[in-house]
Amino acid sequence: MTESAGTGRDAEAVSRFVESFAAQLVEAGMARMPARVFAALLSSDEGSMTSAELGEQLRISPAAVSGAVRHLAQTHMVSREREPGSRRERYRVHGNQWYEALANREAVMKRWEGALREGVTSLGAGTPAGRRMAETLAFFEFIGVEVVEMMERWRVHREKVFGPE
């Protein structure tokens, strides 16, 4: 199996890329199976695959695909789509998946800020633990502002490089 069906790509090279990129994602903290599924979707020409296609390419069980896709959908890295006239689902990665994932993380950080504010109040701002909480809160507040500004710069840059959506 040296070429992907009809694409002219070297299937072994694609497989090496998928496993290599997945390993990088795992090193960064992503679970192994979601990393492999994400890398496979990202490297597919259509940007979407069925569970059976993912299972075949990655040599994993339907249950492994299902668990990985559930995790990726919860983190906004992939979306589920129904094939017209079929009960089968396709899993799709979008060009702006990193933007969406970061936007989702921004919402999580806002919730953390609320919890940290409560921690500062509960522990007392003058205590060593309260000071640590306050410093952590200040960090997340700073990062929150920076991320919003960075994402706006990205939207402008993306439009210049790739054109309007």
PDB file of all heavy atoms in Angstrom, residues 18 21-23 25-26 29-42 54 58 60 63-75 77-78 93 98:
ATOM      1  N   VAL A  18       1.131  11.151  10.306  1.00  0.00           N
ATOM      2  CA  VAL A  18       0.055  11.081  11.297  1.00  0.00           C
ATOM      3  C   VAL A  18       0.608  10.654  12.650  1.00  0.00           C
ATOM      4  O   VAL A  18       0.336  11.282  13.677  1.00  0.00           O
ATOM      5  CB  VAL A  18      -1.072  10.137  10.825  1.00  0.00           C
ATOM      6  CG1 VAL A  18      -2.028   9.790  11.967  1.00  0.00           C
ATOM      7  CG2 VAL A  18      -1.838  10.764   9.658  1.00  0.00           C
ATOM      8  N   PHE A  21       3.024  13.472  14.082  1.00  0.00           N
ATOM      9  CA  PHE A  21       2.317  14.650  14.576  1.00  0.00           C
ATOM     10  C   PHE A  21       1.512  14.290  15.824  1.00  0.00           C
ATOM     11  O   PHE A  21       1.482  15.056  16.796  1.00  0.00           O
ATOM     12  CB  PHE A  21       1.416  15.242  13.494  1.00  0.00           C
ATOM     13  CG  PHE A  21       0.805  16.559  13.885  1.00  0.00           C
ATOM     14  CD1 PHE A  21       1.603  17.632  14.250  1.00  0.00           C
ATOM     15  CD2 PHE A  21      -0.566  16.732  13.897  1.00  0.00           C
ATOM     16  CE1 PHE A  21       1.045  18.855  14.620  1.00  0.00           C
ATOM     17  CE2 PHE A  21      -1.131  17.939  14.261  1.00  0.00           C
ATOM     18  CZ  PHE A  21      -0.328  19.007  14.625  1.00  0.00           C
ATOM     19  N   ALA A  22       0.902  13.111  15.823  1.00  0.00           N
ATOM     20  CA  ALA A  22       0.157  12.668  17.004  1.00  0.00           C
ATOM     21  C   ALA A  22       1.088  12.581  18.209  1.00  0.00           C
ATOM     22  O   ALA A  22       0.710  12.974  19.322  1.00  0.00           O
ATOM     23  CB  ALA A  22      -0.508  11.324  16.732  1.00  0.00           C
ATOM     24  N   ALA A  23       2.294  12.084  18.003  1.00  0.00           N
ATOM     25  CA  ALA A  23       3.257  11.989  19.103  1.00  0.00           C
ATOM     26  C   ALA A  23       3.580  13.374  19.658  1.00  0.00           C
ATOM     27  O   ALA A  23       3.717  13.545  20.879  1.00  0.00           O
ATOM     28  CB  ALA A  23       4.533  11.286  18.642  1.00  0.00           C
ATOM     29  N   LEU A  25       1.526  15.948  19.619  1.00  0.00           N
ATOM     30  CA  LEU A  25       0.337  16.367  20.364  1.00  0.00           C
ATOM     31  C   LEU A  25       0.284  15.685  21.732  1.00  0.00           C
ATOM     32  O   LEU A  25      -0.082  16.312  22.726  1.00  0.00           O
ATOM     33  CB  LEU A  25      -0.933  16.060  19.555  1.00  0.00           C
ATOM     34  CG  LEU A  25      -1.108  16.867  18.266  1.00  0.00           C
ATOM     35  CD1 LEU A  25      -2.280  16.322  17.450  1.00  0.00           C
ATOM     36  CD2 LEU A  25      -1.300  18.344  18.567  1.00  0.00           C
ATOM     37  N   VAL A  26       0.654  14.408  21.769  1.00  0.00           N
ATOM     38  CA  VAL A  26       0.686  13.677  23.043  1.00  0.00           C
ATOM     39  C   VAL A  26       1.704  14.315  23.978  1.00  0.00           C
ATOM     40  O   VAL A  26       1.441  14.516  25.174  1.00  0.00           O
ATOM     41  CB  VAL A  26       0.985  12.175  22.811  1.00  0.00           C
ATOM     42  CG1 VAL A  26       1.311  11.465  24.116  1.00  0.00           C
ATOM     43  CG2 VAL A  26      -0.199  11.511  22.114  1.00  0.00           C
ATOM     44  N   GLY A  29       0.356  17.122  25.745  1.00  0.00           N
ATOM     45  CA  GLY A  29      -0.678  16.878  26.744  1.00  0.00           C
ATOM     46  C   GLY A  29      -1.969  16.265  26.234  1.00  0.00           C
ATOM     47  O   GLY A  29      -2.859  15.966  27.028  1.00  0.00           O
ATOM     48  N   MET A  30      -2.121  16.074  24.936  1.00  0.00           N
ATOM     49  CA  MET A  30      -3.340  15.466  24.409  1.00  0.00           C
ATOM     50  C   MET A  30      -3.265  13.946  24.607  1.00  0.00           C
ATOM     51  O   MET A  30      -2.184  13.362  24.525  1.00  0.00           O
ATOM     52  CB  MET A  30      -3.499  15.791  22.908  1.00  0.00           C
ATOM     53  CG  MET A  30      -4.820  15.318  22.319  1.00  0.00           C
ATOM     54  SD  MET A  30      -4.983  15.654  20.535  1.00  0.00           S
ATOM     55  CE  MET A  30      -5.497  17.358  20.562  1.00  0.00           C
ATOM     56  N   ALA A  31      -4.395  13.327  24.846  1.00  0.00           N
ATOM     57  CA  ALA A  31      -4.442  11.866  24.977  1.00  0.00           C
ATOM     58  C   ALA A  31      -4.071  11.226  23.633  1.00  0.00           C
ATOM     59  O   ALA A  31      -4.318  11.798  22.563  1.00  0.00           O
ATOM     60  CB  ALA A  31      -5.829  11.424  25.414  1.00  0.00           C
ATOM     61  N   ARG A  32      -3.491  10.041  23.675  1.00  0.00           N
ATOM     62  CA  ARG A  32      -2.927   9.398  22.484  1.00  0.00           C
ATOM     63  C   ARG A  32      -3.950   9.151  21.380  1.00  0.00           C
ATOM     64  O   ARG A  32      -3.717   9.500  20.225  1.00  0.00           O
ATOM     65  CB  ARG A  32      -2.257   8.079  22.887  1.00  0.00           C
ATOM     66  CG  ARG A  32      -1.573   7.382  21.725  1.00  0.00           C
ATOM     67  CD  ARG A  32      -0.770   6.162  22.210  1.00  0.00           C
ATOM     68  NE  ARG A  32      -0.101   5.537  21.100  1.00  0.00           N
ATOM     69  CZ  ARG A  32      -0.610   4.537  20.396  1.00  0.00           C
ATOM     70  NH1 ARG A  32      -1.796   4.051  20.703  1.00  0.00           N
ATOM     71  NH2 ARG A  32       0.063   4.010  19.405  1.00  0.00           N
ATOM     72  N   MET A  33      -5.078   8.544  21.695  1.00  0.00           N
ATOM     73  CA  MET A  33      -6.034   8.190  20.644  1.00  0.00           C
ATOM     74  C   MET A  33      -6.670   9.431  20.015  1.00  0.00           C
ATOM     75  O   MET A  33      -6.746   9.516  18.783  1.00  0.00           O
ATOM     76  CB  MET A  33      -7.093   7.224  21.178  1.00  0.00           C
ATOM     77  CG  MET A  33      -7.684   6.339  20.122  1.00  0.00           C
ATOM     78  SD  MET A  33      -6.465   5.408  19.134  1.00  0.00           S
ATOM     79  CE  MET A  33      -5.840   4.254  20.323  1.00  0.00           C
ATOM     80  N   PRO A  34      -7.130  10.416  20.794  1.00  0.00           N
ATOM     81  CA  PRO A  34      -7.618  11.637  20.152  1.00  0.00           C
ATOM     82  C   PRO A  34      -6.549  12.315  19.286  1.00  0.00           C
ATOM     83  O   PRO A  34      -6.851  12.857  18.225  1.00  0.00           O
ATOM     84  CB  PRO A  34      -8.027  12.532  21.332  1.00  0.00           C
ATOM     85  CG  PRO A  34      -8.364  11.574  22.416  1.00  0.00           C
ATOM     86  CD  PRO A  34      -7.390  10.435  22.240  1.00  0.00           C
ATOM     87  N   ALA A  35      -5.302  12.262  19.723  1.00  0.00           N
ATOM     88  CA  ALA A  35      -4.215  12.858  18.928  1.00  0.00           C
ATOM     89  C   ALA A  35      -4.074  12.149  17.588  1.00  0.00           C
ATOM     90  O   ALA A  35      -3.920  12.793  16.547  1.00  0.00           O
ATOM     91  CB  ALA A  35      -2.897  12.790  19.706  1.00  0.00           C
ATOM     92  N   ARG A  36      -4.139  10.841  17.581  1.00  0.00           N
ATOM     93  CA  ARG A  36      -4.017  10.069  16.331  1.00  0.00           C
ATOM     94  C   ARG A  36      -5.197  10.356  15.407  1.00  0.00           C
ATOM     95  O   ARG A  36      -5.022  10.553  14.207  1.00  0.00           O
ATOM     96  CB  ARG A  36      -3.929   8.574  16.636  1.00  0.00           C
ATOM     97  CG  ARG A  36      -2.635   8.183  17.326  1.00  0.00           C
ATOM     98  CD  ARG A  36      -2.548   6.692  17.558  1.00  0.00           C
ATOM     99  NE  ARG A  36      -2.340   6.023  16.265  1.00  0.00           N
ATOM    100  CZ  ARG A  36      -2.832   4.829  15.971  1.00  0.00           C
ATOM    101  NH1 ARG A  36      -3.566   4.157  16.847  1.00  0.00           N
ATOM    102  NH2 ARG A  36      -2.590   4.292  14.792  1.00  0.00           N
ATOM    103  N   VAL A  37      -6.414  10.375  15.966  1.00  0.00           N
ATOM    104  CA  VAL A  37      -7.601  10.640  15.147  1.00  0.00           C
ATOM    105  C   VAL A  37      -7.540  12.056  14.584  1.00  0.00           C
ATOM    106  O   VAL A  37      -7.807  12.281  13.398  1.00  0.00           O
ATOM    107  CB  VAL A  37      -8.898  10.399  15.959  1.00  0.00           C
ATOM    108  CG1 VAL A  37     -10.118  10.949  15.243  1.00  0.00           C
ATOM    109  CG2 VAL A  37      -9.061   8.901  16.243  1.00  0.00           C
ATOM    110  N   PHE A  38      -7.157  13.021  15.402  1.00  0.00           N
ATOM    111  CA  PHE A  38      -7.065  14.405  14.935  1.00  0.00           C
ATOM    112  C   PHE A  38      -6.038  14.530  13.816  1.00  0.00           C
ATOM    113  O   PHE A  38      -6.297  15.162  12.786  1.00  0.00           O
ATOM    114  CB  PHE A  38      -6.709  15.340  16.095  1.00  0.00           C
ATOM    115  CG  PHE A  38      -6.600  16.768  15.672  1.00  0.00           C
ATOM    116  CD1 PHE A  38      -7.730  17.523  15.397  1.00  0.00           C
ATOM    117  CD2 PHE A  38      -5.358  17.361  15.518  1.00  0.00           C
ATOM    118  CE1 PHE A  38      -7.629  18.841  14.978  1.00  0.00           C
ATOM    119  CE2 PHE A  38      -5.245  18.673  15.114  1.00  0.00           C
ATOM    120  CZ  PHE A  38      -6.384  19.417  14.839  1.00  0.00           C
ATOM    121  N   ALA A  39      -4.878  13.922  13.997  1.00  0.00           N
ATOM    122  CA  ALA A  39      -3.834  13.995  12.966  1.00  0.00           C
ATOM    123  C   ALA A  39      -4.299  13.334  11.671  1.00  0.00           C
ATOM    124  O   ALA A  39      -4.007  13.834  10.578  1.00  0.00           O
ATOM    125  CB  ALA A  39      -2.545  13.347  13.475  1.00  0.00           C
ATOM    126  N   ALA A  40      -5.027  12.237  11.770  1.00  0.00           N
ATOM    127  CA  ALA A  40      -5.543  11.567  10.565  1.00  0.00           C
ATOM    128  C   ALA A  40      -6.546  12.459   9.844  1.00  0.00           C
ATOM    129  O   ALA A  40      -6.505  12.592   8.616  1.00  0.00           O
ATOM    130  CB  ALA A  40      -6.180  10.227  10.933  1.00  0.00           C
ATOM    131  N   LEU A  41      -7.447  13.071  10.589  1.00  0.00           N
ATOM    132  CA  LEU A  41      -8.430  13.974   9.973  1.00  0.00           C
ATOM    133  C   LEU A  41      -7.747  15.184   9.342  1.00  0.00           C
ATOM    134  O   LEU A  41      -8.083  15.588   8.230  1.00  0.00           O
ATOM    135  CB  LEU A  41      -9.458  14.434  11.010  1.00  0.00           C
ATOM    136  CG  LEU A  41     -10.472  13.398  11.450  1.00  0.00           C
ATOM    137  CD1 LEU A  41     -11.225  13.874  12.683  1.00  0.00           C
ATOM    138  CD2 LEU A  41     -11.437  13.078  10.321  1.00  0.00           C
ATOM    139  N   LEU A  42      -6.801  15.744  10.052  1.00  0.00           N
ATOM    140  CA  LEU A  42      -6.088  16.922   9.562  1.00  0.00           C
ATOM    141  C   LEU A  42      -5.342  16.619   8.269  1.00  0.00           C
ATOM    142  O   LEU A  42      -5.262  17.462   7.378  1.00  0.00           O
ATOM    143  CB  LEU A  42      -5.112  17.411  10.634  1.00  0.00           C
ATOM    144  CG  LEU A  42      -4.454  18.764  10.434  1.00  0.00           C
ATOM    145  CD1 LEU A  42      -5.493  19.871  10.391  1.00  0.00           C
ATOM    146  CD2 LEU A  42      -3.460  19.019  11.555  1.00  0.00           C
ATOM    147  N   LEU A  54     -11.529   5.951   9.643  1.00  0.00           N
ATOM    148  CA  LEU A  54     -10.539   6.216  10.688  1.00  0.00           C
ATOM    149  C   LEU A  54     -10.014   4.915  11.284  1.00  0.00           C
ATOM    150  O   LEU A  54      -8.813   4.747  11.470  1.00  0.00           O
ATOM    151  CB  LEU A  54     -11.140   7.094  11.789  1.00  0.00           C
ATOM    152  CG  LEU A  54     -11.302   8.563  11.436  1.00  0.00           C
ATOM    153  CD1 LEU A  54     -12.261   9.257  12.391  1.00  0.00           C
ATOM    154  CD2 LEU A  54      -9.946   9.257  11.418  1.00  0.00           C
ATOM    155  N   LEU A  58      -6.091   3.918  10.910  1.00  0.00           N
ATOM    156  CA  LEU A  58      -5.302   3.902  12.142  1.00  0.00           C
ATOM    157  C   LEU A  58      -5.190   2.513  12.765  1.00  0.00           C
ATOM    158  O   LEU A  58      -4.477   2.344  13.745  1.00  0.00           O
ATOM    159  CB  LEU A  58      -5.908   4.881  13.159  1.00  0.00           C
ATOM    160  CG  LEU A  58      -5.938   6.342  12.719  1.00  0.00           C
ATOM    161  CD1 LEU A  58      -6.716   7.179  13.723  1.00  0.00           C
ATOM    162  CD2 LEU A  58      -4.537   6.882  12.517  1.00  0.00           C
ATOM    163  N   ILE A  60      -7.555   0.833  14.446  1.00  0.00           N
ATOM    164  CA  ILE A  60      -8.104   0.894  15.794  1.00  0.00           C
ATOM    165  C   ILE A  60      -9.568   0.464  15.766  1.00  0.00           C
ATOM    166  O   ILE A  60     -10.201   0.458  14.716  1.00  0.00           O
ATOM    167  CB  ILE A  60      -7.964   2.304  16.416  1.00  0.00           C
ATOM    168  CG1 ILE A  60      -8.661   3.372  15.575  1.00  0.00           C
ATOM    169  CG2 ILE A  60      -6.497   2.642  16.629  1.00  0.00           C
ATOM    170  CD1 ILE A  60      -8.640   4.769  16.182  1.00  0.00           C
ATOM    171  N   ALA A  63     -14.791   1.414  18.971  1.00  0.00           N
ATOM    172  CA  ALA A  63     -14.901   2.014  20.308  1.00  0.00           C
ATOM    173  C   ALA A  63     -13.796   3.049  20.541  1.00  0.00           C
ATOM    174  O   ALA A  63     -14.035   4.107  21.136  1.00  0.00           O
ATOM    175  CB  ALA A  63     -14.840   0.929  21.383  1.00  0.00           C
ATOM    176  N   ALA A  64     -12.590   2.758  20.058  1.00  0.00           N
ATOM    177  CA  ALA A  64     -11.478   3.711  20.204  1.00  0.00           C
ATOM    178  C   ALA A  64     -11.755   4.970  19.402  1.00  0.00           C
ATOM    179  O   ALA A  64     -11.503   6.088  19.875  1.00  0.00           O
ATOM    180  CB  ALA A  64     -10.164   3.068  19.767  1.00  0.00           C
ATOM    181  N   VAL A  65     -12.292   4.808  18.187  1.00  0.00           N
ATOM    182  CA  VAL A  65     -12.644   5.968  17.359  1.00  0.00           C
ATOM    183  C   VAL A  65     -13.709   6.791  18.078  1.00  0.00           C
ATOM    184  O   VAL A  65     -13.596   8.013  18.191  1.00  0.00           O
ATOM    185  CB  VAL A  65     -13.141   5.546  15.961  1.00  0.00           C
ATOM    186  CG1 VAL A  65     -13.700   6.741  15.203  1.00  0.00           C
ATOM    187  CG2 VAL A  65     -12.023   4.881  15.172  1.00  0.00           C
ATOM    188  N   SER A  66     -14.731   6.120  18.588  1.00  0.00           N
ATOM    189  CA  SER A  66     -15.835   6.807  19.248  1.00  0.00           C
ATOM    190  C   SER A  66     -15.356   7.625  20.447  1.00  0.00           C
ATOM    191  O   SER A  66     -15.719   8.799  20.606  1.00  0.00           O
ATOM    192  CB  SER A  66     -16.879   5.786  19.693  1.00  0.00           C
ATOM    193  OG  SER A  66     -17.934   6.415  20.374  1.00  0.00           O
ATOM    194  N   GLY A  67     -14.530   7.031  21.285  1.00  0.00           N
ATOM    195  CA  GLY A  67     -14.008   7.743  22.450  1.00  0.00           C
ATOM    196  C   GLY A  67     -13.148   8.927  22.060  1.00  0.00           C
ATOM    197  O   GLY A  67     -13.248  10.008  22.653  1.00  0.00           O
ATOM    198  N   ALA A  68     -12.315   8.743  21.038  1.00  0.00           N
ATOM    199  CA  ALA A  68     -11.435   9.822  20.589  1.00  0.00           C
ATOM    200  C   ALA A  68     -12.247  10.973  20.007  1.00  0.00           C
ATOM    201  O   ALA A  68     -11.994  12.144  20.313  1.00  0.00           O
ATOM    202  CB  ALA A  68     -10.444   9.291  19.557  1.00  0.00           C
ATOM    203  N   VAL A  69     -13.243  10.640  19.195  1.00  0.00           N
ATOM    204  CA  VAL A  69     -14.075  11.678  18.568  1.00  0.00           C
ATOM    205  C   VAL A  69     -14.890  12.420  19.621  1.00  0.00           C
ATOM    206  O   VAL A  69     -15.045  13.643  19.540  1.00  0.00           O
ATOM    207  CB  VAL A  69     -14.975  11.060  17.475  1.00  0.00           C
ATOM    208  CG1 VAL A  69     -16.044  12.035  17.031  1.00  0.00           C
ATOM    209  CG2 VAL A  69     -14.138  10.617  16.291  1.00  0.00           C
ATOM    210  N   ARG A  70     -15.381  11.707  20.612  1.00  0.00           N
ATOM    211  CA  ARG A  70     -16.142  12.359  21.692  1.00  0.00           C
ATOM    212  C   ARG A  70     -15.264  13.409  22.369  1.00  0.00           C
ATOM    213  O   ARG A  70     -15.681  14.556  22.576  1.00  0.00           O
ATOM    214  CB  ARG A  70     -16.619  11.318  22.701  1.00  0.00           C
ATOM    215  CG  ARG A  70     -17.505  11.894  23.788  1.00  0.00           C
ATOM    216  CD  ARG A  70     -18.029  10.859  24.792  1.00  0.00           C
ATOM    217  NE  ARG A  70     -18.233   9.533  24.251  1.00  0.00           N
ATOM    218  CZ  ARG A  70     -17.436   8.477  24.480  1.00  0.00           C
ATOM    219  NH1 ARG A  70     -16.368   8.599  25.252  1.00  0.00           N
ATOM    220  NH2 ARG A  70     -17.690   7.293  23.953  1.00  0.00           N
ATOM    221  N   HIS A  71     -14.031  13.028  22.679  1.00  0.00           N
ATOM    222  CA  HIS A  71     -13.105  13.968  23.317  1.00  0.00           C
ATOM    223  C   HIS A  71     -12.824  15.164  22.394  1.00  0.00           C
ATOM    224  O   HIS A  71     -12.856  16.314  22.829  1.00  0.00           O
ATOM    225  CB  HIS A  71     -11.795  13.262  23.670  1.00  0.00           C
ATOM    226  CG  HIS A  71     -10.736  14.181  24.161  1.00  0.00           C
ATOM    227  ND1 HIS A  71     -10.703  14.657  25.450  1.00  0.00           N
ATOM    228  CD2 HIS A  71      -9.677  14.748  23.528  1.00  0.00           C
ATOM    229  CE1 HIS A  71      -9.671  15.473  25.585  1.00  0.00           C
ATOM    230  NE2 HIS A  71      -9.031  15.537  24.447  1.00  0.00           N
ATOM    231  N   LEU A  72     -12.554  14.898  21.133  1.00  0.00           N
ATOM    232  CA  LEU A  72     -12.233  15.971  20.184  1.00  0.00           C
ATOM    233  C   LEU A  72     -13.424  16.897  19.954  1.00  0.00           C
ATOM    234  O   LEU A  72     -13.251  18.111  19.801  1.00  0.00           O
ATOM    235  CB  LEU A  72     -11.743  15.380  18.865  1.00  0.00           C
ATOM    236  CG  LEU A  72     -10.387  14.674  18.935  1.00  0.00           C
ATOM    237  CD1 LEU A  72     -10.145  13.863  17.669  1.00  0.00           C
ATOM    238  CD2 LEU A  72      -9.270  15.673  19.166  1.00  0.00           C
ATOM    239  N   ALA A  73     -14.624  16.355  19.950  1.00  0.00           N
ATOM    240  CA  ALA A  73     -15.817  17.190  19.769  1.00  0.00           C
ATOM    241  C   ALA A  73     -16.035  18.073  20.998  1.00  0.00           C
ATOM    242  O   ALA A  73     -16.391  19.252  20.869  1.00  0.00           O
ATOM    243  CB  ALA A  73     -17.042  16.316  19.504  1.00  0.00           C
ATOM    244  N   GLN A  74     -15.800  17.532  22.191  1.00  0.00           N
ATOM    245  CA  GLN A  74     -15.967  18.313  23.419  1.00  0.00           C
ATOM    246  C   GLN A  74     -14.987  19.474  23.495  1.00  0.00           C
ATOM    247  O   GLN A  74     -15.289  20.500  24.092  1.00  0.00           O
ATOM    248  CB  GLN A  74     -15.800  17.416  24.647  1.00  0.00           C
ATOM    249  CG  GLN A  74     -16.948  16.473  24.861  1.00  0.00           C
ATOM    250  CD  GLN A  74     -16.669  15.459  25.957  1.00  0.00           C
ATOM    251  OE1 GLN A  74     -15.532  15.259  26.374  1.00  0.00           O
ATOM    252  NE2 GLN A  74     -17.708  14.793  26.425  1.00  0.00           N
ATOM    253  N   THR A  75     -13.826  19.299  22.892  1.00  0.00           N
ATOM    254  CA  THR A  75     -12.818  20.359  22.915  1.00  0.00           C
ATOM    255  C   THR A  75     -12.848  21.209  21.643  1.00  0.00           C
ATOM    256  O   THR A  75     -11.947  21.995  21.405  1.00  0.00           O
ATOM    257  CB  THR A  75     -11.403  19.765  23.117  1.00  0.00           C
ATOM    258  OG1 THR A  75     -11.146  18.815  22.084  1.00  0.00           O
ATOM    259  CG2 THR A  75     -11.273  19.111  24.473  1.00  0.00           C
ATOM    260  N   MET A  77     -12.358  20.472  18.602  1.00  0.00           N
ATOM    261  CA  MET A  77     -11.316  20.196  17.608  1.00  0.00           C
ATOM    262  C   MET A  77     -11.897  19.550  16.354  1.00  0.00           C
ATOM    263  O   MET A  77     -11.298  19.635  15.293  1.00  0.00           O
ATOM    264  CB  MET A  77     -10.238  19.290  18.209  1.00  0.00           C
ATOM    265  CG  MET A  77      -9.489  19.894  19.380  1.00  0.00           C
ATOM    266  SD  MET A  77      -8.432  21.274  18.953  1.00  0.00           S
ATOM    267  CE  MET A  77      -7.087  20.439  18.153  1.00  0.00           C
ATOM    268  N   VAL A  78     -13.035  18.868  16.473  1.00  0.00           N
ATOM    269  CA  VAL A  78     -13.719  18.275  15.322  1.00  0.00           C
ATOM    270  C   VAL A  78     -15.219  18.470  15.492  1.00  0.00           C
ATOM    271  O   VAL A  78     -15.703  18.742  16.591  1.00  0.00           O
ATOM    272  CB  VAL A  78     -13.426  16.762  15.146  1.00  0.00           C
ATOM    273  CG1 VAL A  78     -11.948  16.490  14.981  1.00  0.00           C
ATOM    274  CG2 VAL A  78     -14.004  15.946  16.263  1.00  0.00           C
ATOM    275  N   VAL A  93     -12.620  18.072  10.540  1.00  0.00           N
ATOM    276  CA  VAL A  93     -11.736  19.064  11.131  1.00  0.00           C
ATOM    277  C   VAL A  93     -11.826  20.290  10.220  1.00  0.00           C
ATOM    278  O   VAL A  93     -11.893  20.157   9.004  1.00  0.00           O
ATOM    279  CB  VAL A  93     -10.293  18.521  11.260  1.00  0.00           C
ATOM    280  CG1 VAL A  93      -9.660  18.262   9.934  1.00  0.00           C
ATOM    281  CG2 VAL A  93      -9.441  19.437  12.086  1.00  0.00           C
ATOM    282  N   TRP A  98      -7.976  25.433  15.345  1.00  0.00           N
ATOM    283  CA  TRP A  98      -7.103  25.926  16.415  1.00  0.00           C
ATOM    284  C   TRP A  98      -7.712  27.174  17.056  1.00  0.00           C
ATOM    285  O   TRP A  98      -7.661  27.342  18.271  1.00  0.00           O
ATOM    286  CB  TRP A  98      -5.708  26.251  15.874  1.00  0.00           C
ATOM    287  CG  TRP A  98      -5.039  25.039  15.325  1.00  0.00           C
ATOM    288  CD1 TRP A  98      -4.767  24.780  14.009  1.00  0.00           C
ATOM    289  CD2 TRP A  98      -4.572  23.899  16.055  1.00  0.00           C
ATOM    290  NE1 TRP A  98      -4.159  23.557  13.895  1.00  0.00           N
ATOM    291  CE2 TRP A  98      -4.023  22.987  15.134  1.00  0.00           C
ATOM    292  CE3 TRP A  98      -4.559  23.561  17.398  1.00  0.00           C
ATOM    293  CZ2 TRP A  98      -3.477  21.771  15.507  1.00  0.00           C
ATOM    294  CZ3 TRP A  98      -4.019  22.345  17.777  1.00  0.00           C
ATOM    295  CH2 TRP A  98      -3.485  21.470  16.836  1.00  0.00           C
TER     296      TRP A  98
END
